[in-house]
Amino acid sequence: MKKIPGLAGRVRVGAPDASLTPVSGVVAVAELVGRLGVTAALDDAVGRIKQRDRGLSGGEFLVAVAQAQMCGAQFWVGLDRRRADTAGEALSAVPTPAASTAVELASRFGPAQVAGIEEGIGEIACRVVGLLPAARRAVLRTGGATIDLDGTDVEVYGAKKEGIAYSYKGARAGRPHVATWAEAGVVTAADLLAGDEDPRPGAGSLIERSVATLNAAGVTARPKVRGDVGYFAKDIAQAAVEAGCDFSLGVTRNPAVWRAAAAIPDDAWRKAERMKGAQVAVCDYAPAGWPPATMTVVRRVKVHATDISADPRARRRRTIPKAQLTLALDGLVGHVYAYSFIATNLDVSTPAKTVAVEAWHRMRTDIEDRIRDAKHGAALRHLPSGSRAANTVWMWGRCWPSTCPPGCRNWPASTTATDEAATTSAPCATG
């Protein structure tokens, strides 16, 4: 023990008290896992991951990985630090495996087990929604469901890691490709791609699996698929329609769509919702080969000439028609318009409906917030294993707990023992 001069009272420096834990919040995690029957739901969906029935089951293992990540683990070794926290372990929902054991277990997750994680998410989401107040439950199940698509690159440094490649930014990376249920904030499907893999070919599978998750959660509304310009592909639009969804996808700026935008009458533009200086209209452009009734919505935003960057690489410059850009840079006009385009089969038959669809599409940035939360200061900053299967489980350890937020935000004040038993044991009906 050493007394530090100048401090009020006495400070003791020595071995930490094993009866204290810095992560007492695991009590809340354990309560939530128990009340929702999370472990059993994941076990039923994932199945066995070991021949002998001892140690952690698949569901328990997934809960342990997620719990360690919630407590700050950014690498597999973080599980060893969790095990060393005696008090925290005593409060945890499940015991934490050693890092070496965890990597071995994670490597056993093949396509069937990973698909089981998504199936389990649907069951857990159904239980969560079932505990919400009736009004909130009705909104989620019948008020409209949006499937957002997006991906993100996770930079890594191991030259021999499986499923890793250099991205277009020049960094060695893996690429989590994620679909979310926007209204509930739930990850419904995800794939781990290499940094150089195009996400578009796999988007149809994400949509199909997301619809299955929504059905398992009791959603009856027709889903809508939303994506940025990186998903501008007729195959994705067709996959959405075949899965029973509508779609709204960003459009690449090509000569045909620029000509269609230039032909929009001045009196057709309407003020956009919640975006200063923006206007919305429909143009006469239908991408070739897309589903029938596809329309293109245009948004333009006034940009003052003095606000245009002189850097030719600036993204904003690419959104301005070349002729207008030249006039602005030469000082011949005071302002120009920057354009964005959306291809959709949603109803845009009136100006009011067009404005509403554009405002709704703009909210697709919600998925970027989900990804940012998963990466910044959190576990998805890294793909810590040399095994692609283990990294996929690591990714899901950060993604599947998103199933619980809608319930946490609106949890009933009290729940009877009968309600808890029904929630944790009764299967949810699909549809």
PDB file of all heavy atoms in Angstrom, residues 69 74 152-154 368-382 398:
ATOM      1  N   GLN A  69     -18.365  -8.781 -26.206  1.00  0.00           N
ATOM      2  CA  GLN A  69     -18.243  -7.590 -27.052  1.00  0.00           C
ATOM      3  C   GLN A  69     -18.945  -6.395 -26.416  1.00  0.00           C
ATOM      4  O   GLN A  69     -18.450  -5.267 -26.488  1.00  0.00           O
ATOM      5  CB  GLN A  69     -18.812  -7.891 -28.440  1.00  0.00           C
ATOM      6  CG  GLN A  69     -17.988  -8.906 -29.231  1.00  0.00           C
ATOM      7  CD  GLN A  69     -18.531  -9.119 -30.628  1.00  0.00           C
ATOM      8  OE1 GLN A  69     -19.528  -8.527 -31.029  1.00  0.00           O
ATOM      9  NE2 GLN A  69     -17.881  -9.985 -31.379  1.00  0.00           N
ATOM     10  N   GLN A  74     -12.628  -6.362 -28.116  1.00  0.00           N
ATOM     11  CA  GLN A  74     -12.455  -6.038 -29.525  1.00  0.00           C
ATOM     12  C   GLN A  74     -11.632  -7.098 -30.253  1.00  0.00           C
ATOM     13  O   GLN A  74     -11.445  -7.027 -31.471  1.00  0.00           O
ATOM     14  CB  GLN A  74     -11.795  -4.672 -29.679  1.00  0.00           C
ATOM     15  CG  GLN A  74     -12.655  -3.540 -29.130  1.00  0.00           C
ATOM     16  CD  GLN A  74     -12.122  -2.173 -29.498  1.00  0.00           C
ATOM     17  OE1 GLN A  74     -11.469  -2.003 -30.520  1.00  0.00           O
ATOM     18  NE2 GLN A  74     -12.404  -1.187 -28.664  1.00  0.00           N
ATOM     19  N   THR A 152     -19.894  -2.293 -45.333  1.00  0.00           N
ATOM     20  CA  THR A 152     -18.819  -1.475 -44.784  1.00  0.00           C
ATOM     21  C   THR A 152     -17.527  -2.268 -44.836  1.00  0.00           C
ATOM     22  O   THR A 152     -17.536  -3.502 -44.734  1.00  0.00           O
ATOM     23  CB  THR A 152     -19.122  -1.066 -43.330  1.00  0.00           C
ATOM     24  OG1 THR A 152     -18.094  -0.186 -42.856  1.00  0.00           O
ATOM     25  CG2 THR A 152     -19.198  -2.268 -42.406  1.00  0.00           C
ATOM     26  N   ASP A 153     -16.417  -1.591 -45.018  1.00  0.00           N
ATOM     27  CA  ASP A 153     -15.115  -2.255 -45.045  1.00  0.00           C
ATOM     28  C   ASP A 153     -14.478  -2.207 -43.668  1.00  0.00           C
ATOM     29  O   ASP A 153     -14.471  -1.166 -43.012  1.00  0.00           O
ATOM     30  CB  ASP A 153     -14.186  -1.580 -46.056  1.00  0.00           C
ATOM     31  CG  ASP A 153     -14.589  -1.885 -47.498  1.00  0.00           C
ATOM     32  OD1 ASP A 153     -15.452  -2.757 -47.692  1.00  0.00           O
ATOM     33  OD2 ASP A 153     -14.049  -1.248 -48.418  1.00  0.00           O
ATOM     34  N   VAL A 154     -13.949  -3.352 -43.235  1.00  0.00           N
ATOM     35  CA  VAL A 154     -13.239  -3.453 -41.972  1.00  0.00           C
ATOM     36  C   VAL A 154     -11.778  -3.764 -42.291  1.00  0.00           C
ATOM     37  O   VAL A 154     -11.456  -4.853 -42.775  1.00  0.00           O
ATOM     38  CB  VAL A 154     -13.828  -4.550 -41.073  1.00  0.00           C
ATOM     39  CG1 VAL A 154     -13.041  -4.652 -39.769  1.00  0.00           C
ATOM     40  CG2 VAL A 154     -15.300  -4.262 -40.777  1.00  0.00           C
ATOM     41  N   GLU A 368     -26.574   3.375 -41.915  1.00  0.00           N
ATOM     42  CA  GLU A 368     -25.201   3.840 -41.743  1.00  0.00           C
ATOM     43  C   GLU A 368     -24.919   4.128 -40.272  1.00  0.00           C
ATOM     44  O   GLU A 368     -23.806   3.885 -39.791  1.00  0.00           O
ATOM     45  CB  GLU A 368     -24.971   5.084 -42.602  1.00  0.00           C
ATOM     46  CG  GLU A 368     -25.125   4.821 -44.091  1.00  0.00           C
ATOM     47  CD  GLU A 368     -25.039   6.093 -44.917  1.00  0.00           C
ATOM     48  OE1 GLU A 368     -24.847   7.173 -44.318  1.00  0.00           O
ATOM     49  OE2 GLU A 368     -25.186   6.007 -46.143  1.00  0.00           O
ATOM     50  N   ASP A 369     -25.921   4.619 -39.551  1.00  0.00           N
ATOM     51  CA  ASP A 369     -25.757   4.827 -38.111  1.00  0.00           C
ATOM     52  C   ASP A 369     -25.582   3.498 -37.391  1.00  0.00           C
ATOM     53  O   ASP A 369     -24.788   3.390 -36.450  1.00  0.00           O
ATOM     54  CB  ASP A 369     -26.965   5.576 -37.543  1.00  0.00           C
ATOM     55  CG  ASP A 369     -27.057   7.003 -38.043  1.00  0.00           C
ATOM     56  OD1 ASP A 369     -26.005   7.557 -38.425  1.00  0.00           O
ATOM     57  OD2 ASP A 369     -28.172   7.558 -38.056  1.00  0.00           O
ATOM     58  N   ARG A 370     -26.329   2.469 -37.795  1.00  0.00           N
ATOM     59  CA  ARG A 370     -26.187   1.148 -37.179  1.00  0.00           C
ATOM     60  C   ARG A 370     -24.770   0.618 -37.379  1.00  0.00           C
ATOM     61  O   ARG A 370     -24.153   0.088 -36.454  1.00  0.00           O
ATOM     62  CB  ARG A 370     -27.179   0.158 -37.799  1.00  0.00           C
ATOM     63  CG  ARG A 370     -28.615   0.610 -37.792  1.00  0.00           C
ATOM     64  CD  ARG A 370     -29.268   0.456 -36.453  1.00  0.00           C
ATOM     65  NE  ARG A 370     -30.623   0.984 -36.481  1.00  0.00           N
ATOM     66  CZ  ARG A 370     -31.288   1.389 -35.440  1.00  0.00           C
ATOM     67  NH1 ARG A 370     -30.745   1.320 -34.240  1.00  0.00           N
ATOM     68  NH2 ARG A 370     -32.517   1.857 -35.549  1.00  0.00           N
ATOM     69  N   ILE A 371     -24.270   0.749 -38.586  1.00  0.00           N
ATOM     70  CA  ILE A 371     -22.922   0.257 -38.881  1.00  0.00           C
ATOM     71  C   ILE A 371     -21.883   1.072 -38.117  1.00  0.00           C
ATOM     72  O   ILE A 371     -20.917   0.526 -37.571  1.00  0.00           O
ATOM     73  CB  ILE A 371     -22.661   0.314 -40.400  1.00  0.00           C
ATOM     74  CG1 ILE A 371     -23.550  -0.723 -41.110  1.00  0.00           C
ATOM     75  CG2 ILE A 371     -21.189   0.070 -40.713  1.00  0.00           C
ATOM     76  CD1 ILE A 371     -23.487  -0.658 -42.617  1.00  0.00           C
ATOM     77  N   ARG A 372     -22.083   2.374 -38.047  1.00  0.00           N
ATOM     78  CA  ARG A 372     -21.137   3.229 -37.325  1.00  0.00           C
ATOM     79  C   ARG A 372     -21.090   2.845 -35.846  1.00  0.00           C
ATOM     80  O   ARG A 372     -20.025   2.778 -35.239  1.00  0.00           O
ATOM     81  CB  ARG A 372     -21.561   4.688 -37.492  1.00  0.00           C
ATOM     82  CG  ARG A 372     -20.531   5.699 -36.980  1.00  0.00           C
ATOM     83  CD  ARG A 372     -21.002   7.111 -37.236  1.00  0.00           C
ATOM     84  NE  ARG A 372     -21.162   7.375 -38.653  1.00  0.00           N
ATOM     85  CZ  ARG A 372     -22.327   7.565 -39.258  1.00  0.00           C
ATOM     86  NH1 ARG A 372     -23.450   7.519 -38.574  1.00  0.00           N
ATOM     87  NH2 ARG A 372     -22.380   7.801 -40.549  1.00  0.00           N
ATOM     88  N   ASP A 373     -22.249   2.571 -35.259  1.00  0.00           N
ATOM     89  CA  ASP A 373     -22.296   2.167 -33.854  1.00  0.00           C
ATOM     90  C   ASP A 373     -21.580   0.840 -33.638  1.00  0.00           C
ATOM     91  O   ASP A 373     -20.985   0.612 -32.579  1.00  0.00           O
ATOM     92  CB  ASP A 373     -23.750   2.041 -33.386  1.00  0.00           C
ATOM     93  CG  ASP A 373     -24.454   3.378 -33.281  1.00  0.00           C
ATOM     94  OD1 ASP A 373     -23.756   4.408 -33.250  1.00  0.00           O
ATOM     95  OD2 ASP A 373     -25.701   3.391 -33.234  1.00  0.00           O
ATOM     96  N   ALA A 374     -21.651  -0.052 -34.631  1.00  0.00           N
ATOM     97  CA  ALA A 374     -21.018  -1.361 -34.499  1.00  0.00           C
ATOM     98  C   ALA A 374     -19.502  -1.292 -34.647  1.00  0.00           C
ATOM     99  O   ALA A 374     -18.787  -2.168 -34.159  1.00  0.00           O
ATOM    100  CB  ALA A 374     -21.592  -2.320 -35.544  1.00  0.00           C
ATOM    101  N   LYS A 375     -19.004  -0.237 -35.302  1.00  0.00           N
ATOM    102  CA  LYS A 375     -17.577  -0.158 -35.595  1.00  0.00           C
ATOM    103  C   LYS A 375     -16.823   0.796 -34.682  1.00  0.00           C
ATOM    104  O   LYS A 375     -15.744   0.464 -34.190  1.00  0.00           O
ATOM    105  CB  LYS A 375     -17.370   0.291 -37.055  1.00  0.00           C
ATOM    106  CG  LYS A 375     -17.756  -0.747 -38.080  1.00  0.00           C
ATOM    107  CD  LYS A 375     -17.515  -0.248 -39.488  1.00  0.00           C
ATOM    108  CE  LYS A 375     -16.050  -0.078 -39.807  1.00  0.00           C
ATOM    109  NZ  LYS A 375     -15.829   0.306 -41.212  1.00  0.00           N
ATOM    110  N   HIS A 376     -17.347   1.988 -34.468  1.00  0.00           N
ATOM    111  CA  HIS A 376     -16.585   3.019 -33.766  1.00  0.00           C
ATOM    112  C   HIS A 376     -16.483   2.694 -32.280  1.00  0.00           C
ATOM    113  O   HIS A 376     -17.467   2.782 -31.544  1.00  0.00           O
ATOM    114  CB  HIS A 376     -17.224   4.395 -33.976  1.00  0.00           C
ATOM    115  CG  HIS A 376     -17.062   4.882 -35.387  1.00  0.00           C
ATOM    116  ND1 HIS A 376     -17.403   6.146 -35.777  1.00  0.00           N
ATOM    117  CD2 HIS A 376     -16.591   4.274 -36.507  1.00  0.00           C
ATOM    118  CE1 HIS A 376     -17.152   6.306 -37.063  1.00  0.00           C
ATOM    119  NE2 HIS A 376     -16.674   5.175 -37.522  1.00  0.00           N
ATOM    120  N   GLY A 377     -15.299   2.296 -31.859  1.00  0.00           N
ATOM    121  CA  GLY A 377     -15.093   1.952 -30.464  1.00  0.00           C
ATOM    122  C   GLY A 377     -15.738   0.646 -30.077  1.00  0.00           C
ATOM    123  O   GLY A 377     -15.891   0.354 -28.890  1.00  0.00           O
ATOM    124  N   ALA A 378     -16.125  -0.169 -31.051  1.00  0.00           N
ATOM    125  CA  ALA A 378     -16.826  -1.414 -30.770  1.00  0.00           C
ATOM    126  C   ALA A 378     -16.165  -2.562 -31.530  1.00  0.00           C
ATOM    127  O   ALA A 378     -15.180  -2.387 -32.244  1.00  0.00           O
ATOM    128  CB  ALA A 378     -18.298  -1.294 -31.131  1.00  0.00           C
ATOM    129  N   ALA A 379     -16.767  -3.762 -31.381  1.00  0.00           N
ATOM    130  CA  ALA A 379     -16.101  -4.990 -31.816  1.00  0.00           C
ATOM    131  C   ALA A 379     -15.906  -5.080 -33.325  1.00  0.00           C
ATOM    132  O   ALA A 379     -14.961  -5.736 -33.787  1.00  0.00           O
ATOM    133  CB  ALA A 379     -16.891  -6.196 -31.325  1.00  0.00           C
ATOM    134  N   LEU A 380     -16.782  -4.480 -34.123  1.00  0.00           N
ATOM    135  CA  LEU A 380     -16.678  -4.642 -35.566  1.00  0.00           C
ATOM    136  C   LEU A 380     -15.607  -3.744 -36.190  1.00  0.00           C
ATOM    137  O   LEU A 380     -15.486  -3.665 -37.406  1.00  0.00           O
ATOM    138  CB  LEU A 380     -18.043  -4.387 -36.224  1.00  0.00           C
ATOM    139  CG  LEU A 380     -18.285  -5.097 -37.558  1.00  0.00           C
ATOM    140  CD1 LEU A 380     -18.057  -6.586 -37.439  1.00  0.00           C
ATOM    141  CD2 LEU A 380     -19.676  -4.804 -38.092  1.00  0.00           C
ATOM    142  N   ARG A 381     -14.810  -3.106 -35.358  1.00  0.00           N
ATOM    143  CA  ARG A 381     -13.626  -2.418 -35.875  1.00  0.00           C
ATOM    144  C   ARG A 381     -12.608  -3.422 -36.370  1.00  0.00           C
ATOM    145  O   ARG A 381     -11.693  -3.080 -37.135  1.00  0.00           O
ATOM    146  CB  ARG A 381     -12.975  -1.583 -34.774  1.00  0.00           C
ATOM    147  CG  ARG A 381     -13.761  -0.372 -34.333  1.00  0.00           C
ATOM    148  CD  ARG A 381     -13.020   0.347 -33.230  1.00  0.00           C
ATOM    149  NE  ARG A 381     -11.725   0.843 -33.666  1.00  0.00           N
ATOM    150  CZ  ARG A 381     -10.783   1.301 -32.843  1.00  0.00           C
ATOM    151  NH1 ARG A 381     -10.989   1.296 -31.545  1.00  0.00           N
ATOM    152  NH2 ARG A 381      -9.646   1.751 -33.315  1.00  0.00           N
ATOM    153  N   HIS A 382     -12.740  -4.677 -35.937  1.00  0.00           N
ATOM    154  CA  HIS A 382     -11.739  -5.690 -36.243  1.00  0.00           C
ATOM    155  C   HIS A 382     -12.409  -6.976 -36.714  1.00  0.00           C
ATOM    156  O   HIS A 382     -13.559  -7.265 -36.361  1.00  0.00           O
ATOM    157  CB  HIS A 382     -10.890  -6.006 -35.001  1.00  0.00           C
ATOM    158  CG  HIS A 382     -10.300  -4.809 -34.350  1.00  0.00           C
ATOM    159  ND1 HIS A 382      -9.194  -4.154 -34.849  1.00  0.00           N
ATOM    160  CD2 HIS A 382     -10.667  -4.125 -33.238  1.00  0.00           C
ATOM    161  CE1 HIS A 382      -8.904  -3.126 -34.071  1.00  0.00           C
ATOM    162  NE2 HIS A 382      -9.784  -3.079 -33.089  1.00  0.00           N
ATOM    163  N   ARG A 398     -21.675  -9.107 -32.867  1.00  0.00           N
ATOM    164  CA  ARG A 398     -22.007  -7.681 -32.752  1.00  0.00           C
ATOM    165  C   ARG A 398     -23.376  -7.373 -33.341  1.00  0.00           C
ATOM    166  O   ARG A 398     -24.055  -6.448 -32.906  1.00  0.00           O
ATOM    167  CB  ARG A 398     -20.942  -6.828 -33.462  1.00  0.00           C
ATOM    168  CG  ARG A 398     -21.157  -5.327 -33.314  1.00  0.00           C
ATOM    169  CD  ARG A 398     -21.121  -4.909 -31.858  1.00  0.00           C
ATOM    170  NE  ARG A 398     -21.447  -3.510 -31.666  1.00  0.00           N
ATOM    171  CZ  ARG A 398     -22.675  -3.027 -31.542  1.00  0.00           C
ATOM    172  NH1 ARG A 398     -23.723  -3.846 -31.618  1.00  0.00           N
ATOM    173  NH2 ARG A 398     -22.884  -1.743 -31.353  1.00  0.00           N
TER     174      ARG A 398
END
